[in-house]
Amino acid sequence: MDPVLVVGAGPVGLAAAAFLAHAGTPVRIIDANAAPTTLSKALVLWRHSLLTLAPLIPPSYWHSIASPVQGACFADKGALFAQLGFHHAPPSGATQRPSSATASSVGAAAAGKDGQATAAASAQQQCGSVHALPAGMLVVQADVETALVALLQDRYGIEVQRNTSLTAFTVADDSSSVLCTVTDTSSSSTATTNQQQQPQELRASYLVGCDGGRSAVRKLLGVEFAGTTLDQRWLLGDFKYEVDAAINAAHKPQHKCEGSLQPGTLFMNPTDVGLMGLIPLGNRDGQLRVVWNADAHCPGEPTIEDFQQLLTAHTRQQIRLTEPVWLSEFKINERQVQSYVHHNGRVLLAGDAAHIHSPAGGLGMNTGLQDAANLAWKLSLVAAGEAAAGSKLMDTYQEERHPVGAHVIRMSGRLLRANALRSPFVRFVRKWVLRALVAVPSLAAKMVSALTGDEICYSRCTLAAAAAAAAAGGAAVRTRQPATAAERQVWGCCKPGAAFPDVSIEVGGVEQSAAVLLLSKPGCLGTLVLMPVAQKQQQQQQADAAAEGGCTAGQQHAAWPSCWGHWPLNVVHVSSAAGSAAGGAESTAAAGAGGGAESTAAAGAAGGGADVAVDAWGLLVAAVAGRAGVGVLVRPDGIVAAVGGPDEVNGWLKKHVVSSSDAAACS
Ligand SMILES: Cc1cc2nc3c(=O)[nH]c(=O)nc-3n(C[C@H](O)[C@H](O)[C@H](O)COP(=O)(O)OP(=O)(O)OC[C@H]3O[C@@H](n4cnc5c(N)ncnc54)[C@H](O)[C@@H]3O)c2cc1C
């Protein structure tokens, strides 16, 4: 098979190539630039993106190189008037396992024993986190790209072909391939390179345009990038800085955020000369980003002096900018193509090539990374002839991701306009509205989740709709009701089309996000998470089996699938706290499943040996609405495909993936 050609080695192209390579799909990635940039437009990876990348990169990696986003401070003329906290779980390992007594009571709840007493006991326990991933990590774009380049090289043996620009392409008449023309863009003009600068032709099975806002692929397709360019002038400066009490000594900071920036905290400050945002760069210690809607207030090339004057005159910050790292100016576009899928799925667009918007909210790179993961597993299936819907599977990429792009454009536009208002009256109203909003926890949480991507859900889309109905009518037994506030919060959230819940689980004796379960070996596609079987349920299964002629529970469970088409599934067993407290003797839903490609993903992520993933706080079972013993089939982009018994899980696979068949069932 000709390789898939990914054009552009920005974050989106690199992620698309990595997800394709993970599935074993031949892929080639080119970029017009000679080297990756060390300058970073994007500064944050939000929670949904951490989960999306989890099959390839464990969340602990981001913790090792960056720190979580802590919150946002809103000021007016330098005076702080509201603060929004982005609550996050402590770093992995900092939270101890619940006491064994507590663990037993959680286990008893899972087993459906002594409901009321258990509920009372559970209510007192340490609840774990409904989000064990932080709201976001302050990882700069260059570091995301570095991680993905290393992954491509080290794990999949793929090098980015640099100095190579796509200049033309033609889709074959029978739509079976794409003939691409690329040009060497290296600047050297020796005889040898002159030779190389002749256009070359590459045959690709599919073409994926991840080549940014000025996308050549999009232009060559001739499609409109509909939208507007805002009539605003924005300046950007990344600086090294130091705190200097002599600056703004006349001001008396009323809050620590007013005087010196707090790690992980964004500082938004509308001024008479335009909105200004200050962001300490997470994993670039001692660096600060200043963005400023300067319009006519700073004509000409921006300098460090312009920014220093801005900080001194319009904030109470006691900050001395010592050295510019990057000075730039930019215009804001709000645009989106009508279709991400062209030529029956032969040519696809993702990331800034497909949608572009204001940086407010820090969503561009995040949205593009999610596009890449969504696109890649579907393309791997289509390219391998494993998609039951054939190339039409790519239409679900459009169906799922186009509305997310449109929503992000609307939301970041609103955020920008709300913050950039200059009229003193409107700023006064905005101040009080914002103050009221952040004071109401549910509204504050809503504001945070709009950024983190927690609201992204495809439950009404084609791939989820039937599975949702099957899950609702499935045979799984509900063994309990929610007992704690945390359980109530996540109750039933693990459903087809939603993101796999990143609730707290315990691996190797430490609290981790359930996202670690998704980390899979190269060559695996998708994850099957098998929930603990409640004791009552297990006894019932054994009794039923005995009545039906001696089939054991283990044999019954052999009906779980072990493959996603021709790819091995990453099968992960979760045990309940009761089982682990009893020395791991309790069975999981998969106990006895024969021949599966069971990975030690959780163990690997914990850095341990054969560690067991334990639903120590009962939150995973709560996420499947208390239905112990079910399996959760998770797509390679971290989205739940199906929840239920073997029938529901096999049903989804057989419906969408050609060579899926039931594993050996008890007969
Ligand atoms: C000031 C600013 C701040 C931002 N902050 C954030 C933030 O905090 N969080 C966030 O998520 N997003 C943020 N963004 C947006 C984010 O930077 C972009 O959404 C992201 O870079 C898009 O990634 P991409 O891979 O689609 O495109 P790019 O990063 O633009 O990469 C495209 C690549 O394609 C290559 N290329 C182009 N044409 C060709 C060709 N013909 N042939 C071969 N290669 C080609 C280019 O060399 C480039 O390497 C910000 C943007 C700006 C301007």
Side-chain angles (χ1 to χ4, degrees):
M1 177 188 138
D2 291 320
V4 174
L5 181 66
V6 175
V7 182
V12 179
L14 290 166
F19 275 100
L20 286 162
H22 192 78
T25 305
V27 59
R28 183 169 191 169
I29 174 167
I30 61 169
D31 196 284
N33 286 341
T37 172
T38 53
L39 304 172
S40 293
K41 291 182 283 181
L43 305 178
V44 60
L45 271 180
W46 293 114
R47 179 156 50 222
H48 189 74
S49 303
L50 298 173
L51 183 90
T52 303
L53 292 171
L56 306 185
I57 303 176
S60 56
Y61 172 76
W62 305 114
H63 274 290
S64 74
I65 63 161
S67 51
V69 181
Q70 301 289 349
C73 288
F74 299 94
D76 198 82
K77 295 187 180 169
L80 184 111
F81 65 84
Q83 246 187 314
L84 182 63
F86 290 59
H87 302 293
H88 67 90
S92 172
T95 305
Q96 296 305 308
R97 179 196 167 93
S99 70
S100 54
T102 306
S104 301
S105 66
V106 177
K113 284 183 191 168
D114 194 10
Q116 280 187 332
T118 305
S122 299
Q124 290 164 14
Q125 74 178 51
Q126 182 187 359
C127 289
S129 284
V130 297
H131 287 299
L133 291 176
M137 296 294 294
L138 279 170
V139 190
V140 298
Q141 184 167 334
D143 289 353
V144 174
E145 293 179 18
T146 302
L148 289 166
V149 166
L151 193 71
L152 277 172
Q153 280 172 348
D154 302 345
R155 200 181 294 170
Y156 312 116
I158 293 172
E159 295 281 342
V160 176
Q161 189 179 328
R162 299 207 174 265
N163 285 322
T164 307
S165 177
L166 178 98
T167 49
F169 71 84
T170 330
V171 177
D173 287 345
D174 62 355
S175 284
S176 61
S177 61
V178 189
L179 193 62
C180 303
T181 308
V182 298
T183 312
D184 187 326
T185 53
S186 51
S187 51
S188 144
S189 59
T190 62
T192 333
T193 51
N194 275 340
Q195 182 72 24
Q196 286 169 351
Q197 278 165 4
Q198 294 301 316
Q200 287 177 14
E201 298 214 316
L202 302 176
R203 187 171 295 281
S205 52
Y206 296 86
L207 176 62
V208 185
C210 306
D211 45 349
R214 296 181 181 154
S215 169
V217 176
R218 186 188 66 234
K219 287 177 186 161
L220 291 165
L221 278 167
V223 296
E224 190 189 358
F225 205 21
T228 53
T229 303
L230 303 191
D231 185 21
Q232 295 177 347
R233 180 163 174 266
W234 286 82
L235 304 182
L236 174 155
D238 284 355
F239 301 97
K240 293 187 178 166
Y241 74 104
E242 57 195 27
V243 178
D244 183 345
I247 298 199
N248 280 330
H251 289 297
K252 296 251 175 321
Q254 304 295 309
H255 185 278
K256 56 187 176 183
C257 249
E258 292 177 2
S260 64
L261 294 163
Q262 301 303 300
T265 303
L266 288 58
F267 185 86
M268 301 298 290
N269 186 39
T271 73
D272 297 338
V273 294
L275 174 70
M276 169 205 328
L278 305 181
I279 307 149
L281 300 188
N283 47 348
R284 292 284 185 278
D285 278 348
Q287 281 189 35
L288 166 70
R289 160 139 329 155
V290 187
V291 278
W292 176 22
N293 178 199
D295 289 341
H297 290 284
C298 180
E301 296 270 308
T303 63
I304 186 169
E305 289 76 24
D306 294 328
F307 281 96
Q308 182 66 63
Q309 203 182 349
L310 175 77
L311 289 184
T312 310
H314 296 283
T315 73
R316 297 178 180 181
Q317 298 291 340
Q318 298 180 321
I319 285 176
R320 181 182 302 284
L321 303 175
T322 54
E323 187 185 326
V325 177
W326 184 24
L327 290 171
S328 180
E329 64 174 89
F330 62 96
K331 287 258 178 206
I332 293 175
N333 283 283
E334 293 177 335
R335 297 176 185 278
Q336 188 179 30
V337 291
Q338 203 175 355
S339 178
Y340 292 9
V341 181
H342 298 268
H343 295 283
N344 291 327
R346 281 284 150 194
V347 184
L348 302 146
L349 294 171
D352 277 17
H355 47 76
I356 194 162
H357 48 80
S358 119
L363 292 160
M365 174 178 74
N366 284 269
T367 308
L369 290 170
Q370 296 154 22
D371 290 348
N374 189 298
L375 168 159
W377 73 264
K378 294 172 182 173
L379 191 54
S380 290
L381 251 69
V382 173
E386 284 277 7
S391 62
K392 292 237 172 301
L393 181 62
M394 295 320 299
D395 294 345
T396 68
Y397 165 58
Q398 162 81 9
E399 183 191 17
E400 293 182 344
R401 293 305 302 170
H402 191 279
V404 174
H407 175 73
V408 165
I409 292 171
R410 278 194 304 275
M411 191 179 68
S412 68
R414 273 188 215 129
L415 260 177
L416 180 84
R417 287 171 182 86
N419 280 296
L421 296 167
R422 291 184 189 206
S423 136
F425 174 71
V426 179
R427 266 165 55 191
F428 175 79
V429 173
R430 170 189 163 277
K431 183 168 149 178
W432 286 99
V433 169
L434 201 52
R435 192 179 264 171
L437 284 178
V438 301
V440 180
S442 59
L443 294 178
K446 192 109 185 110
M447 286 167 75
V448 174
S449 68
L451 299 177
T452 55
D454 296 342
E455 292 171 346
I456 293 173
C457 182
Y458 313 128
S459 58
R460 294 190 182 164
C461 296
T462 309
L463 293 179
V477 185
R478 177 169 297 183
T479 55
R480 65 186 176 96
Q481 297 298 322
T484 64
E487 287 184 6
R488 275 192 290 282
Q489 214 178 322
V490 296
W491 195 257
C493 73
C494 182
K495 58 183 183 191
F500 183 66
D502 65 308
V503 296
S504 293
I505 57 163
E506 192 189 281
V507 184
V510 292
E511 181 182 0
Q512 308 228 12
S513 160
V516 301
L517 303 177
L518 307 184
L519 183 65
S520 67
K521 290 181 193 152
C524 283
L525 212 56
T527 293
L528 178 60
V529 179
L530 294 159
M531 297 295 181
V533 176
Q535 268 175 24
K536 257 188 186 171
Q537 197 181 6
Q538 197 182 355
Q539 285 159 3
Q540 185 63 49
Q541 282 173 349
Q542 281 165 347
D544 290 350
E548 283 168 20
C551 180
T552 69
Q555 285 167 314
Q556 278 202 339
H557 292 137
W560 289 112
S562 57
C563 290
W564 176 297
H566 71 239
W567 294 270
L569 258 173
N570 173 41
V571 180
V572 185
H573 305 212
V574 177
S575 58
S576 74
S580 72
E586 174 223 44
S587 89
T588 68
E598 292 160 33
S599 87
T600 54
D611 289 330
V612 176
V614 182
D615 188 22
W617 293 270
L619 294 177
L620 259 188
V621 169
V624 293
R627 296 175 305 156
V630 294
V632 181
L633 182 68
V634 189
R635 303 178 352 183
D637 56 352
I639 299 295
V640 175
V643 183
D647 286 349
E648 285 86 30
V649 172
N650 281 307
W652 190 93
L653 283 168
K654 281 200 278 185
K655 184 160 186 225
H656 299 291
V657 187
V658 169
S659 61
S660 298
S661 60
D662 282 343
C666 176
S667 59

